[in-house]
Amino acid sequence: MYTVTSLKAELHERGWRLTPQRETILQIFQNLPTGEHLSAEDLHVLLQQDGDPISLSTIYRNLKMMSRMGILRELELAEGHKHYEINQPAPYHHHHLICVRCNKTTEFKNDSILKMGAKTAQKEGYHLLDCQLTIHAICPSCQRSILPM
Amino acid sequence: MYTVTSLKAELHERGWRLTPQRETILQIFQNLPTGEHLSAEDLHVLLQQDGDPISLSTIYRNLKMMSRMGILRELELAEGHKHYEINQPAPYHHHHLICVRCNKTTEFKNDSILKMGAKTAQKEGYHLLDCQLTIHAICPSCQRSILPM
DNA sequence: TTAAGTGCAAAAACTTTGCATATTT
DNA sequence: AAATATGCAAAGTTTTTGCACTTAA
C-alpha cells in the first residue's frame, strides 16, 4: 500500500516531484471506503467542497500518472467516463459485474483471477500493474422488466 | 455465432427491425480477423471506403445496441475510446494484455476465466453477455526504456 | 536555480440527441 | 399505416493541450 513517503520515493526515482496536489489525491483515494470509486469530475467537486480545490487538468494529469504507476486502477464502468480507485492486492483486490441495462455495478472477489493475470503477465515478461475482470450482464430485475433494451 | 437470420429473429422478438445497416455492420464484424477490433470511427471510414457508407450516429446507435444484445464486445483498450469486436465463445474467447506506456495490446486465452465469469454471473442470477480480463502492465521493451512515464 | 507542475482557457476528441425523412413490417 | 430507424446537424460530455506562472528539490 502506498504511503506519502513511498510515493515520494517512487516519484523521485523518475525525476518527478511530490506536490501538495498529488499528496491530497493519494489521501483521498486511501481514505475512500472499499468499493467506492471516483471520476475526475467527482474528485474535482469533492475537493472543492473540502475547501482544497485542485484544477481539473491537474486532476486528469495525476489520475493518469498514478494509474500508470500502478497506484490507482482505471475502471471503465457503465457511466461513460472513467472511474478510479486505489489498487489493492489480495485479499482486497476485486472485480466488477455490471448490468448493461440499469448500470448497477457489483463487486466480487476471486483471488485466482489475480493469480492467473499475474502469471500471464510474468510469462510475457510484463511488469503487472492491474488486472480486472469485467463482466457485462443483465441483472435479475432487468431480465424481468419489459422495458426496451 | 450470430447469423443474419438469428439476428433478425432476436430483433423481432423485441419489436425491432433488421435494416441493411445492421446487416452490414454484423457482416463486417463477422469477417474481421480474430483479434482485430474497430472503433466507431474506424468502422465509419471502412464503410465509406467500401462505398457502402453508414452515418456515424447510426453506427454509434447500433454498436451500443449490439453490445447490449451480447453480439459485440465493447473493449476499453488504451486508445481513449471504445473498440468493438465480435463476441465469441470458447475456444475463441480471449482477453487483453495492455502496455500502459506504448499501448501495445496482446490477446491471450484462458477458458477458465470465462468459466469463472459465467459462474459468478449465474450465482447472482445475471444473464451473462461478456466477460473480459484486462491486464494493465509494462511490456519488456518499455521496462528497458529510459523514456519518462 | 531550474526543471517539473499547476491553473486557466481554449481546443480536441468522442458520443448523444432532436428532428425531418425514409424504411421495415 | 404505423412504428422504428436513419442521416444530418447541432449540442453535450469528457479529456487534452498550450502557455504563463509557480514551486519543489
Side-chain angles (χ1 to χ4, degrees), chain A residues 28-56:
Chain A
I28 293 276
F29 280 104
Q30 281 178 331
N31 296 329
L32 214 57
T34 318
E36 281 206 33
H37 27 68
L38 301 174
S39 66
E41 186 60 32
D42 291 340
L43 182 54
H44 189 227
V45 169
L46 198 155
L47 289 165
Q48 280 183 319
Q49 291 170 343
D50 286 4
D52 191 8
I54 298 181
S55 79
L56 245 190

PDB file of all heavy atoms in Angstrom, chain A residues 28-56:
ATOM      1  N   ILE A  28      -7.061  11.104  -0.554  1.00  0.00           N
ATOM      2  CA  ILE A  28      -8.492  10.916  -0.827  1.00  0.00           C
ATOM      3  C   ILE A  28      -8.764   9.454  -1.181  1.00  0.00           C
ATOM      4  O   ILE A  28      -9.662   8.820  -0.630  1.00  0.00           O
ATOM      5  CB  ILE A  28      -8.936  11.788  -2.024  1.00  0.00           C
ATOM      6  CG1 ILE A  28      -8.856  13.264  -1.686  1.00  0.00           C
ATOM      7  CG2 ILE A  28     -10.350  11.394  -2.466  1.00  0.00           C
ATOM      8  CD1 ILE A  28     -10.050  13.810  -0.973  1.00  0.00           C
ATOM      9  N   PHE A  29      -7.976   8.914  -2.088  1.00  0.00           N
ATOM     10  CA  PHE A  29      -8.230   7.537  -2.511  1.00  0.00           C
ATOM     11  C   PHE A  29      -7.927   6.534  -1.411  1.00  0.00           C
ATOM     12  O   PHE A  29      -8.607   5.517  -1.293  1.00  0.00           O
ATOM     13  CB  PHE A  29      -7.452   7.211  -3.783  1.00  0.00           C
ATOM     14  CG  PHE A  29      -8.128   7.750  -5.018  1.00  0.00           C
ATOM     15  CD1 PHE A  29      -7.648   8.877  -5.654  1.00  0.00           C
ATOM     16  CD2 PHE A  29      -9.276   7.140  -5.520  1.00  0.00           C
ATOM     17  CE1 PHE A  29      -8.294   9.397  -6.774  1.00  0.00           C
ATOM     18  CE2 PHE A  29      -9.918   7.652  -6.640  1.00  0.00           C
ATOM     19  CZ  PHE A  29      -9.425   8.781  -7.265  1.00  0.00           C
ATOM     20  N   GLN A  30      -6.937   6.826  -0.587  1.00  0.00           N
ATOM     21  CA  GLN A  30      -6.635   5.891   0.500  1.00  0.00           C
ATOM     22  C   GLN A  30      -7.754   5.845   1.524  1.00  0.00           C
ATOM     23  O   GLN A  30      -7.997   4.817   2.134  1.00  0.00           O
ATOM     24  CB  GLN A  30      -5.327   6.298   1.178  1.00  0.00           C
ATOM     25  CG  GLN A  30      -4.127   5.850   0.372  1.00  0.00           C
ATOM     26  CD  GLN A  30      -2.832   6.282   1.004  1.00  0.00           C
ATOM     27  OE1 GLN A  30      -2.768   7.305   1.681  1.00  0.00           O
ATOM     28  NE2 GLN A  30      -1.787   5.516   0.770  1.00  0.00           N
ATOM     29  N   ASN A  31      -8.436   6.956   1.701  1.00  0.00           N
ATOM     30  CA  ASN A  31      -9.495   7.004   2.712  1.00  0.00           C
ATOM     31  C   ASN A  31     -10.864   6.654   2.170  1.00  0.00           C
ATOM     32  O   ASN A  31     -11.840   6.648   2.909  1.00  0.00           O
ATOM     33  CB  ASN A  31      -9.531   8.395   3.352  1.00  0.00           C
ATOM     34  CG  ASN A  31      -8.243   8.678   4.104  1.00  0.00           C
ATOM     35  OD1 ASN A  31      -7.613   7.769   4.635  1.00  0.00           O
ATOM     36  ND2 ASN A  31      -7.838   9.934   4.117  1.00  0.00           N
ATOM     37  N   LEU A  32     -10.930   6.382   0.897  1.00  0.00           N
ATOM     38  CA  LEU A  32     -12.212   6.043   0.284  1.00  0.00           C
ATOM     39  C   LEU A  32     -12.628   4.641   0.723  1.00  0.00           C
ATOM     40  O   LEU A  32     -11.827   3.718   0.681  1.00  0.00           O
ATOM     41  CB  LEU A  32     -12.021   6.065  -1.240  1.00  0.00           C
ATOM     42  CG  LEU A  32     -13.169   6.520  -2.113  1.00  0.00           C
ATOM     43  CD1 LEU A  32     -13.623   7.912  -1.733  1.00  0.00           C
ATOM     44  CD2 LEU A  32     -12.722   6.490  -3.568  1.00  0.00           C
ATOM     45  N   PRO A  33     -13.880   4.456   1.138  1.00  0.00           N
ATOM     46  CA  PRO A  33     -14.324   3.110   1.516  1.00  0.00           C
ATOM     47  C   PRO A  33     -14.121   2.140   0.355  1.00  0.00           C
ATOM     48  O   PRO A  33     -14.287   2.526  -0.801  1.00  0.00           O
ATOM     49  CB  PRO A  33     -15.821   3.300   1.784  1.00  0.00           C
ATOM     50  CG  PRO A  33     -16.017   4.748   2.023  1.00  0.00           C
ATOM     51  CD  PRO A  33     -14.937   5.452   1.256  1.00  0.00           C
ATOM     52  N   THR A  34     -13.772   0.896   0.682  1.00  0.00           N
ATOM     53  CA  THR A  34     -13.569  -0.112  -0.356  1.00  0.00           C
ATOM     54  C   THR A  34     -14.782  -0.163  -1.265  1.00  0.00           C
ATOM     55  O   THR A  34     -15.908  -0.170  -0.791  1.00  0.00           O
ATOM     56  CB  THR A  34     -13.419  -1.534   0.239  1.00  0.00           C
ATOM     57  OG1 THR A  34     -12.594  -1.442   1.388  1.00  0.00           O
ATOM     58  CG2 THR A  34     -12.813  -2.485  -0.769  1.00  0.00           C
ATOM     59  N   GLY A  35     -14.556  -0.215  -2.530  1.00  0.00           N
ATOM     60  CA  GLY A  35     -15.656  -0.350  -3.472  1.00  0.00           C
ATOM     61  C   GLY A  35     -16.142   0.983  -3.993  1.00  0.00           C
ATOM     62  O   GLY A  35     -16.871   1.044  -4.971  1.00  0.00           O
ATOM     63  N   GLU A  36     -15.741   2.079  -3.360  1.00  0.00           N
ATOM     64  CA  GLU A  36     -16.110   3.371  -3.926  1.00  0.00           C
ATOM     65  C   GLU A  36     -15.076   3.773  -4.947  1.00  0.00           C
ATOM     66  O   GLU A  36     -13.901   3.442  -4.835  1.00  0.00           O
ATOM     67  CB  GLU A  36     -16.209   4.428  -2.827  1.00  0.00           C
ATOM     68  CG  GLU A  36     -17.509   4.309  -2.070  1.00  0.00           C
ATOM     69  CD  GLU A  36     -17.908   5.644  -1.450  1.00  0.00           C
ATOM     70  OE1 GLU A  36     -17.607   6.691  -2.043  1.00  0.00           O
ATOM     71  OE2 GLU A  36     -18.510   5.607  -0.372  1.00  0.00           O
ATOM     72  N   HIS A  37     -15.534   4.464  -5.944  1.00  0.00           N
ATOM     73  CA  HIS A  37     -14.604   4.920  -6.973  1.00  0.00           C
ATOM     74  C   HIS A  37     -15.059   6.294  -7.421  1.00  0.00           C
ATOM     75  O   HIS A  37     -16.235   6.643  -7.346  1.00  0.00           O
ATOM     76  CB  HIS A  37     -14.587   3.940  -8.154  1.00  0.00           C
ATOM     77  CG  HIS A  37     -15.850   3.183  -8.317  1.00  0.00           C
ATOM     78  ND1 HIS A  37     -17.015   3.795  -8.697  1.00  0.00           N
ATOM     79  CD2 HIS A  37     -16.148   1.882  -8.107  1.00  0.00           C
ATOM     80  CE1 HIS A  37     -17.972   2.892  -8.732  1.00  0.00           C
ATOM     81  NE2 HIS A  37     -17.498   1.718  -8.366  1.00  0.00           N
ATOM     82  N   LEU A  38     -14.128   7.080  -7.886  1.00  0.00           N
ATOM     83  CA  LEU A  38     -14.415   8.463  -8.243  1.00  0.00           C
ATOM     84  C   LEU A  38     -14.029   8.735  -9.686  1.00  0.00           C
ATOM     85  O   LEU A  38     -13.023   8.227 -10.167  1.00  0.00           O
ATOM     86  CB  LEU A  38     -13.608   9.401  -7.350  1.00  0.00           C
ATOM     87  CG  LEU A  38     -13.825   9.317  -5.841  1.00  0.00           C
ATOM     88  CD1 LEU A  38     -12.827  10.210  -5.120  1.00  0.00           C
ATOM     89  CD2 LEU A  38     -15.255   9.704  -5.479  1.00  0.00           C
ATOM     90  N   SER A  39     -14.808   9.573 -10.343  1.00  0.00           N
ATOM     91  CA  SER A  39     -14.406  10.070 -11.653  1.00  0.00           C
ATOM     92  C   SER A  39     -13.587  11.334 -11.429  1.00  0.00           C
ATOM     93  O   SER A  39     -13.544  11.869 -10.314  1.00  0.00           O
ATOM     94  CB  SER A  39     -15.636  10.408 -12.482  1.00  0.00           C
ATOM     95  OG  SER A  39     -16.327  11.495 -11.905  1.00  0.00           O
ATOM     96  N   ALA A  40     -12.959  11.813 -12.478  1.00  0.00           N
ATOM     97  CA  ALA A  40     -12.191  13.054 -12.386  1.00  0.00           C
ATOM     98  C   ALA A  40     -13.090  14.172 -11.860  1.00  0.00           C
ATOM     99  O   ALA A  40     -12.715  14.927 -10.964  1.00  0.00           O
ATOM    100  CB  ALA A  40     -11.620  13.415 -13.752  1.00  0.00           C
ATOM    101  N   GLU A  41     -14.260  14.242 -12.414  1.00  0.00           N
ATOM    102  CA  GLU A  41     -15.209  15.280 -12.011  1.00  0.00           C
ATOM    103  C   GLU A  41     -15.649  15.119 -10.556  1.00  0.00           C
ATOM    104  O   GLU A  41     -15.722  16.093  -9.814  1.00  0.00           O
ATOM    105  CB  GLU A  41     -16.430  15.211 -12.942  1.00  0.00           C
ATOM    106  CG  GLU A  41     -17.451  16.312 -12.740  1.00  0.00           C
ATOM    107  CD  GLU A  41     -16.897  17.720 -12.950  1.00  0.00           C
ATOM    108  OE1 GLU A  41     -15.983  17.892 -13.784  1.00  0.00           O
ATOM    109  OE2 GLU A  41     -17.362  18.639 -12.256  1.00  0.00           O
ATOM    110  N   ASP A  42     -15.930  13.881 -10.151  1.00  0.00           N
ATOM    111  CA  ASP A  42     -16.284  13.604  -8.747  1.00  0.00           C
ATOM    112  C   ASP A  42     -15.212  14.143  -7.810  1.00  0.00           C
ATOM    113  O   ASP A  42     -15.507  14.786  -6.796  1.00  0.00           O
ATOM    114  CB  ASP A  42     -16.347  12.089  -8.481  1.00  0.00           C
ATOM    115  CG  ASP A  42     -17.511  11.422  -9.189  1.00  0.00           C
ATOM    116  OD1 ASP A  42     -18.476  12.123  -9.558  1.00  0.00           O
ATOM    117  OD2 ASP A  42     -17.443  10.184  -9.383  1.00  0.00           O
ATOM    118  N   LEU A  43     -13.981  13.839  -8.148  1.00  0.00           N
ATOM    119  CA  LEU A  43     -12.853  14.235  -7.307  1.00  0.00           C
ATOM    120  C   LEU A  43     -12.742  15.753  -7.263  1.00  0.00           C
ATOM    121  O   LEU A  43     -12.503  16.350  -6.206  1.00  0.00           O
ATOM    122  CB  LEU A  43     -11.576  13.619  -7.888  1.00  0.00           C
ATOM    123  CG  LEU A  43     -10.267  13.846  -7.148  1.00  0.00           C
ATOM    124  CD1 LEU A  43     -10.346  13.430  -5.697  1.00  0.00           C
ATOM    125  CD2 LEU A  43      -9.130  13.108  -7.850  1.00  0.00           C
ATOM    126  N   HIS A  44     -12.955  16.368  -8.407  1.00  0.00           N
ATOM    127  CA  HIS A  44     -12.894  17.825  -8.505  1.00  0.00           C
ATOM    128  C   HIS A  44     -13.912  18.473  -7.569  1.00  0.00           C
ATOM    129  O   HIS A  44     -13.578  19.364  -6.785  1.00  0.00           O
ATOM    130  CB  HIS A  44     -13.160  18.231  -9.961  1.00  0.00           C
ATOM    131  CG  HIS A  44     -12.910  19.672 -10.258  1.00  0.00           C
ATOM    132  ND1 HIS A  44     -13.804  20.449 -10.960  1.00  0.00           N
ATOM    133  CD2 HIS A  44     -11.874  20.481  -9.952  1.00  0.00           C
ATOM    134  CE1 HIS A  44     -13.318  21.684 -11.067  1.00  0.00           C
ATOM    135  NE2 HIS A  44     -12.144  21.719 -10.478  1.00  0.00           N
ATOM    136  N   VAL A  45     -15.131  17.998  -7.641  1.00  0.00           N
ATOM    137  CA  VAL A  45     -16.207  18.528  -6.807  1.00  0.00           C
ATOM    138  C   VAL A  45     -15.915  18.281  -5.330  1.00  0.00           C
ATOM    139  O   VAL A  45     -16.034  19.173  -4.497  1.00  0.00           O
ATOM    140  CB  VAL A  45     -17.549  17.877  -7.194  1.00  0.00           C
ATOM    141  CG1 VAL A  45     -18.629  18.199  -6.183  1.00  0.00           C
ATOM    142  CG2 VAL A  45     -17.961  18.330  -8.595  1.00  0.00           C
ATOM    143  N   LEU A  46     -15.500  17.067  -5.030  1.00  0.00           N
ATOM    144  CA  LEU A  46     -15.200  16.694  -3.644  1.00  0.00           C
ATOM    145  C   LEU A  46     -14.145  17.615  -3.028  1.00  0.00           C
ATOM    146  O   LEU A  46     -14.280  18.084  -1.902  1.00  0.00           O
ATOM    147  CB  LEU A  46     -14.709  15.247  -3.647  1.00  0.00           C
ATOM    148  CG  LEU A  46     -14.713  14.454  -2.358  1.00  0.00           C
ATOM    149  CD1 LEU A  46     -14.798  12.964  -2.686  1.00  0.00           C
ATOM    150  CD2 LEU A  46     -13.466  14.721  -1.549  1.00  0.00           C
ATOM    151  N   LEU A  47     -13.114  17.893  -3.811  1.00  0.00           N
ATOM    152  CA  LEU A  47     -12.037  18.739  -3.305  1.00  0.00           C
ATOM    153  C   LEU A  47     -12.490  20.180  -3.134  1.00  0.00           C
ATOM    154  O   LEU A  47     -12.065  20.873  -2.206  1.00  0.00           O
ATOM    155  CB  LEU A  47     -10.835  18.671  -4.247  1.00  0.00           C
ATOM    156  CG  LEU A  47     -10.088  17.337  -4.212  1.00  0.00           C
ATOM    157  CD1 LEU A  47      -9.159  17.207  -5.407  1.00  0.00           C
ATOM    158  CD2 LEU A  47      -9.298  17.215  -2.917  1.00  0.00           C
ATOM    159  N   GLN A  48     -13.370  20.612  -4.020  1.00  0.00           N
ATOM    160  CA  GLN A  48     -13.894  21.971  -3.883  1.00  0.00           C
ATOM    161  C   GLN A  48     -14.720  22.094  -2.611  1.00  0.00           C
ATOM    162  O   GLN A  48     -14.632  23.083  -1.884  1.00  0.00           O
ATOM    163  CB  GLN A  48     -14.744  22.327  -5.101  1.00  0.00           C
ATOM    164  CG  GLN A  48     -13.898  22.730  -6.297  1.00  0.00           C
ATOM    165  CD  GLN A  48     -14.743  23.158  -7.470  1.00  0.00           C
ATOM    166  OE1 GLN A  48     -15.770  22.547  -7.754  1.00  0.00           O
ATOM    167  NE2 GLN A  48     -14.326  24.207  -8.165  1.00  0.00           N
ATOM    168  N   GLN A  49     -15.535  21.062  -2.368  1.00  0.00           N
ATOM    169  CA  GLN A  49     -16.356  21.066  -1.156  1.00  0.00           C
ATOM    170  C   GLN A  49     -15.491  21.061   0.094  1.00  0.00           C
ATOM    171  O   GLN A  49     -15.830  21.674   1.106  1.00  0.00           O
ATOM    172  CB  GLN A  49     -17.272  19.844  -1.138  1.00  0.00           C
ATOM    173  CG  GLN A  49     -18.366  19.913  -2.198  1.00  0.00           C
ATOM    174  CD  GLN A  49     -19.119  18.606  -2.336  1.00  0.00           C
ATOM    175  OE1 GLN A  49     -18.645  17.555  -1.879  1.00  0.00           O
ATOM    176  NE2 GLN A  49     -20.283  18.648  -2.969  1.00  0.00           N
ATOM    177  N   ASP A  50     -14.369  20.361   0.026  1.00  0.00           N
ATOM    178  CA  ASP A  50     -13.458  20.302   1.165  1.00  0.00           C
ATOM    179  C   ASP A  50     -12.671  21.596   1.341  1.00  0.00           C
ATOM    180  O   ASP A  50     -11.863  21.710   2.266  1.00  0.00           O
ATOM    181  CB  ASP A  50     -12.433  19.172   0.971  1.00  0.00           C
ATOM    182  CG  ASP A  50     -13.055  17.800   1.175  1.00  0.00           C
ATOM    183  OD1 ASP A  50     -14.282  17.735   1.393  1.00  0.00           O
ATOM    184  OD2 ASP A  50     -12.319  16.801   1.115  1.00  0.00           O
ATOM    185  N   GLY A  51     -12.863  22.533   0.424  1.00  0.00           N
ATOM    186  CA  GLY A  51     -12.124  23.781   0.518  1.00  0.00           C
ATOM    187  C   GLY A  51     -10.660  23.634   0.146  1.00  0.00           C
ATOM    188  O   GLY A  51      -9.811  24.415   0.567  1.00  0.00           O
ATOM    189  N   ASP A  52     -10.353  22.600  -0.640  1.00  0.00           N
ATOM    190  CA  ASP A  52      -8.962  22.338  -1.014  1.00  0.00           C
ATOM    191  C   ASP A  52      -8.921  22.039  -2.515  1.00  0.00           C
ATOM    192  O   ASP A  52      -8.486  20.974  -2.939  1.00  0.00           O
ATOM    193  CB  ASP A  52      -8.470  21.117  -0.211  1.00  0.00           C
ATOM    194  CG  ASP A  52      -6.973  20.913  -0.324  1.00  0.00           C
ATOM    195  OD1 ASP A  52      -6.296  21.790  -0.884  1.00  0.00           O
ATOM    196  OD2 ASP A  52      -6.489  19.854   0.137  1.00  0.00           O
ATOM    197  N   PRO A  53      -9.377  23.002  -3.321  1.00  0.00           N
ATOM    198  CA  PRO A  53      -9.596  22.737  -4.741  1.00  0.00           C
ATOM    199  C   PRO A  53      -8.314  22.465  -5.524  1.00  0.00           C
ATOM    200  O   PRO A  53      -7.256  23.006  -5.219  1.00  0.00           O
ATOM    201  CB  PRO A  53     -10.248  24.028  -5.237  1.00  0.00           C
ATOM    202  CG  PRO A  53      -9.822  25.076  -4.287  1.00  0.00           C
ATOM    203  CD  PRO A  53      -9.691  24.386  -2.970  1.00  0.00           C
ATOM    204  N   ILE A  54      -8.454  21.601  -6.536  1.00  0.00           N
ATOM    205  CA  ILE A  54      -7.366  21.308  -7.478  1.00  0.00           C
ATOM    206  C   ILE A  54      -7.984  21.426  -8.859  1.00  0.00           C
ATOM    207  O   ILE A  54      -9.112  20.990  -9.071  1.00  0.00           O
ATOM    208  CB  ILE A  54      -6.815  19.876  -7.263  1.00  0.00           C
ATOM    209  CG1 ILE A  54      -6.227  19.756  -5.843  1.00  0.00           C
ATOM    210  CG2 ILE A  54      -5.783  19.524  -8.304  1.00  0.00           C
ATOM    211  CD1 ILE A  54      -5.640  18.380  -5.535  1.00  0.00           C
ATOM    212  N   SER A  55      -7.268  22.016  -9.783  1.00  0.00           N
ATOM    213  CA  SER A  55      -7.834  22.226 -11.110  1.00  0.00           C
ATOM    214  C   SER A  55      -8.081  20.899 -11.817  1.00  0.00           C
ATOM    215  O   SER A  55      -7.378  19.910 -11.600  1.00  0.00           O
ATOM    216  CB  SER A  55      -6.908  23.086 -11.963  1.00  0.00           C
ATOM    217  OG  SER A  55      -5.861  22.302 -12.469  1.00  0.00           O
ATOM    218  N   LEU A  56      -9.103  20.898 -12.673  1.00  0.00           N
ATOM    219  CA  LEU A  56      -9.463  19.675 -13.383  1.00  0.00           C
ATOM    220  C   LEU A  56      -8.298  19.140 -14.209  1.00  0.00           C
ATOM    221  O   LEU A  56      -8.084  17.933 -14.277  1.00  0.00           O
ATOM    222  CB  LEU A  56     -10.644  19.939 -14.315  1.00  0.00           C
ATOM    223  CG  LEU A  56     -11.955  19.235 -14.014  1.00  0.00           C
ATOM    224  CD1 LEU A  56     -12.927  19.425 -15.155  1.00  0.00           C
ATOM    225  CD2 LEU A  56     -11.758  17.744 -13.728  1.00  0.00           C
TER     226      LEU A  56
END
